[in-house]
């Protein structure tokens, strides 16, 4: 079995879906994981926000635009006005949910997951139906039936032992040899829909590859492969042909948008190679990631935006580090706040964290534990792996720098936003 993953950008219009067909044509023993089309997840986040704020009319308006966007893709694919009943019933279900289930702040994350999951359910339904109509027999899978996840909304991990028999049974029970499933979604033990974290479809594909012992996984993207820097931010970005799992996981963790950080572990555990290839050119090799590739030697530069700098001081000058670490991190864990960099002095601890809905609550809890806590929400995190003097001179020096950490391998800098 091979696993292919197509992100939102690669299926953002009918041409993208036709291109997907070209790429998978002739393949069998193939599991295809697809994200929501284009920017649908962002649109569904707006539906959720309007619903959360009690603005049901605005939520309905957003659903109308989502519907029109998908309908235009369907009509273009079929070359005429065409209805896919399963898509209509998904949209009707979304309307029903938003209009009849009252928002409950204590279950905000669960409501969010339920809303945004429609993006992948709709995209895979359209693609599966249309592929069948052009002669590609395929089996559509509701991944919520196969992926049992932690009870952790918005950022769940898939429970391998529980999920493996379900997915294997689904695959074994089908005559089709091409499978189409959603990225990004699963369900918790109580049956509620969960999501695996924004951009989590890569991780879904890796879990499928792991469970089905795939020979390889390929992510088809709108780039030539993995580059050493984001070309939109840094000049002279170059493609890297071979990467090892460890460098890749460091890159993804530092904020390289190319692959979700949770993707590598399931592949590494079974030594499954990962390809990142351009969907516009099936003959191009892209980047291959495996255990054997040598460390990269070009500097890799990653800018992670939307960070907050949380600074804690203990009021009684007790040593923050030794005694109080566990309290700090248990509070952050309780509010599911991810820390990307840690810096400490005798009495102060600075943490560069992801943006979160719960930062203010966490600060209150920390204050309750005797810390003076301040947040600077205006920061970004720059990471340079395999640095050299020229690269440091060009990118690392700035008056905006607030914290820098340097090891022989890596420089990491928290700086204020431009
Ligand atoms: N559609 C989801 C998102 O945009 C998952 C993904 O694209 O991987 O975050
Ligand atoms: Mg997406």
């Amino acid at each position: 079995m091979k696993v292919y993953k197509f992100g939102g950008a690669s299926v953002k219009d009918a041409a993208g879906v036709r291109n997907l067909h070209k790429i998978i044509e002739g393949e069998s023993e193939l599991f295809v994981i697809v994200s929501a089309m284009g920017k649908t997840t962002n649109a569904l986040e707006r539906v959720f926000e309007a619903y959360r704020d009690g603005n049901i009319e605005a939520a309905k308006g957003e659903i109308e635009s989502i519907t029109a966007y998908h309908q235009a893709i369907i009509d273009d694919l079929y070359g005429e006005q065409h209805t896919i009943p399963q898509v209509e019933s998904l949209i009707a279900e979304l309307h029903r949910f938003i209009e009849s289930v009252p928002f409950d702040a204590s279950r905000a994350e669960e409501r969010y997951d339920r809303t945004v999951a429609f993006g992948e359910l709709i995209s895979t339904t359209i693609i599966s139906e249309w592929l069948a109509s052009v002669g590609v027999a395929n089996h559509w899978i509701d991944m919520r039936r196969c992926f049992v996840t932690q009870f952790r909304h918005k950022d769940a991990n898939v429970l391998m032992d529980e999920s493996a028999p379900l997915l294997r049974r689904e695959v074994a029970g089908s005559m089709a040899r091409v499978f189409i499933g959603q990225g990004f979604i699963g369900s918790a033990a109580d049956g509620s829909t969960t999501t695996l974290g924004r951009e989590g479809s890569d991780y879904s594909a890796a879990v499928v590859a792991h469970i089905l012992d795939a020979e390889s996984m390929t992510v088809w993207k709108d780039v030539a492969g993995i580059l050493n820097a984001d070309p939109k931010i840094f000049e002279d970005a170059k493609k890297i042909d071979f990467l090892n799992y460890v460098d890749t996981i460091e890159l993804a963790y530092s904020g390289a948008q190319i692959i979700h950080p949770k993707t590598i572990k399931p592949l590494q555990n079974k030594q499954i190679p990962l390809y990142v290839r351009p969907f516009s050119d099936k003959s191009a090799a892209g980047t291959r990631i495996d255990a054997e590739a040598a460390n990269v030697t070009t500097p890799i530069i990653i800018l992670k935006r939307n960070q907050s700098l949380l600074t804690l001081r203990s009021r009684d000058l007790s040593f923050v580090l030794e005694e109080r670490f566990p309290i700090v991190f248990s509070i952050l864990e309780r509010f599911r706040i991810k820390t990307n960099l840690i810096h400490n002095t005798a009495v102060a601890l600075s943490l560069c964290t992801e943006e979160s809905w719960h930062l203010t609550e966490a600060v209150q809890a920390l204050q309750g534990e005797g810390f003076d806590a301040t947040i600077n929400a205006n920061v970004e995190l720059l990471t340079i792996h395999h640095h050299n003097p020229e690269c440091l001179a060009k990118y690392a020096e700035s008056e905006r720098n607030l914290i820098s950490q340097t090891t022989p391998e890596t420089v990491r800098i928290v700086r204020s936003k431009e």
Side-chain angles (χ1 to χ4, degrees):
M1 183 77 78
K2 280 196 224 163
V3 177
Y4 282 180
K5 182 255 168 175
F6 292 87
S10 57
V11 291
K12 68 176 192 306
D13 51 22
V17 179
R18 287 194 196 96
N19 187 52
L20 176 152
H21 176 213
K22 263 209 325 240
I23 289 175
I24 72 165
E25 211 164 17
E27 299 267 7
S28 70
E29 300 303 313
L30 182 68
F31 204 113
V32 184
I33 286 287
V34 188
S35 303
M37 290 173 160
K39 303 251 180 268
T40 302
T41 309
N42 294 354
L44 286 162
E45 283 190 339
R46 291 195 295 274
V47 172
F48 168 77
E49 283 154 16
Y51 162 69
R52 177 196 62 197
D53 300 343
N55 197 345
I56 300 302
E57 283 314 307
K60 280 161 69 177
E62 289 287 353
I63 301 175
E64 298 301 332
S65 341
I66 293 169
T67 308
Y69 165 67
H70 287 93
Q71 190 57 50
I73 294 177
I74 296 171
D75 294 345
D76 188 338
L77 283 171
Y78 287 84
E80 59 185 8
Q81 281 200 340
H82 184 87
T83 310
I84 300 181
Q86 300 92 310
V87 172
E88 310 246 297
S89 58
L90 285 166
I91 305 252
E93 192 186 327
L94 176 58
H95 269 291
R96 248 193 333 273
F97 161 54
I98 296 296
E99 288 163 45
S100 63
V101 179
F103 180 68
D104 170 356
S106 69
R107 309 202 66 196
E109 278 86 357
E110 183 267 333
R111 299 289 201 262
Y112 169 95
D113 281 352
R114 211 156 133 183
T115 311
V116 297
F118 280 95
E120 273 69 10
L121 291 167
I122 295 171
S123 69
T124 51
T125 303
I126 294 174
I127 289 168
S128 165
E129 284 296 306
W130 183 73
L131 286 175
S133 81
V134 294
V136 181
N138 69 86
H139 181 76
W140 180 88
I141 299 184
D142 184 338
M143 294 303 285
R144 296 174 299 180
R145 285 203 311 264
C146 300
F147 276 1
V148 183
T149 72
Q150 293 168 306
F151 193 74
R152 178 180 183 131
H153 289 284
K154 282 189 94 203
D155 184 24
N157 287 344
V158 179
L159 303 174
M160 290 288 186
D161 293 344
E162 283 82 344
S163 305
L166 300 174
L167 183 66
R168 289 199 192 112
R169 195 177 318 138
E170 183 94 24
V171 166
S174 166
M175 299 289 284
R177 297 328 301 159
V178 173
F179 298 87
I180 311 280
Q182 308 78 37
F184 186 51
I185 67 173
S187 66
D190 67 347
S192 63
T193 298
T194 50
T195 61
L196 313 178
R198 284 301 310 264
E199 308 304 326
S201 298
D202 297 334
Y203 169 59
S204 298
V207 172
V208 169
H210 177 104
I211 291 175
L212 299 180
D213 291 308
E215 60 178 89
S216 66
M217 166 176 156
T218 304
V219 175
W220 296 92
K221 280 192 79 96
D222 54 352
V223 287
I226 295 190
L227 308 183
N228 70 327
D230 182 343
K232 286 186 221 114
I233 310 177
F234 302 101
E235 26 184 274
D236 344 309
K238 287 194 274 303
K239 178 166 91 76
I240 303 170
D241 297 334
F242 299 99
L243 266 172
N244 57 42
Y245 294 127
V246 179
D247 272 344
T248 311
I249 210 161
E250 287 284 359
L251 283 179
Y253 179 76
S254 314
Q257 301 257 306
I258 197 87
I259 214 93
H260 193 281
K262 295 199 288 196
T263 312
I264 300 302
K265 183 170 181 285
L267 299 176
Q268 190 266 347
N269 290 162
K270 292 216 173 155
Q271 301 285 298
I272 298 168
L274 167 64
Y275 296 88
V276 177
R277 297 177 59 186
F279 63 69
S280 55
D281 182 2
K282 196 179 167 178
S283 64
T287 299
R288 178 184 159 108
I289 296 150
D290 59 23
E292 280 97 49
N295 289 343
V296 281
T297 48
T298 31
I300 296 177
I301 312 161
I302 302 140
L303 186 68
K304 200 170 167 101
R305 297 199 158 113
N306 304 328
Q307 303 292 296
S308 292
L309 183 62
L310 175 62
T311 304
L312 306 174
R313 275 169 228 285
S314 73
R315 288 189 198 125
D316 59 359
L317 295 192
S318 66
F319 286 99
V320 174
L321 183 62
E322 290 88 6
E323 296 157 29
R324 319 217 56 194
F325 250 39
I327 301 171
V328 171
F329 283 99
S330 71
I331 289 175
L332 294 178
E333 168 58 20
R334 182 171 0 126
F335 292 104
R336 308 269 192 252
I337 292 170
K338 281 194 191 152
T339 304
N340 292 320
L341 176 140
I342 302 170
H343 182 83
N344 71 287
T345 67
V347 291
L349 179 64
S350 299
L351 302 165
C352 179
T353 72
E354 288 301 303
E355 238 173 28
S356 157
W357 295 346
H358 299 295
L359 216 45
T360 324
E361 290 162 75
V363 163
Q364 280 160 5
L366 288 161
Q367 284 164 343
E369 292 291 339
F371 292 100
D372 280 329
T374 53
I375 305 176
N376 177 352
N378 248 350
V379 301
E380 48 195 36
L381 176 62
L382 176 72
T383 303
I384 306 180
H385 282 294
H386 309 301
H387 51 81
N388 61 32
E390 303 90 89
C391 172
L392 291 183
K394 193 159 175 191
Y395 296 115
E397 282 159 23
S398 163
E399 281 169 2
R400 294 184 282 122
N401 291 359
L402 301 171
I403 298 174
S404 319
Q405 292 180 344
T406 306
T407 68
E409 279 287 279
T410 306
V411 172
R412 306 185 77 210
I413 296 170
V414 180
R415 57 169 58 155
S416 357
K417 275 198 295 212
E418 226 162 341

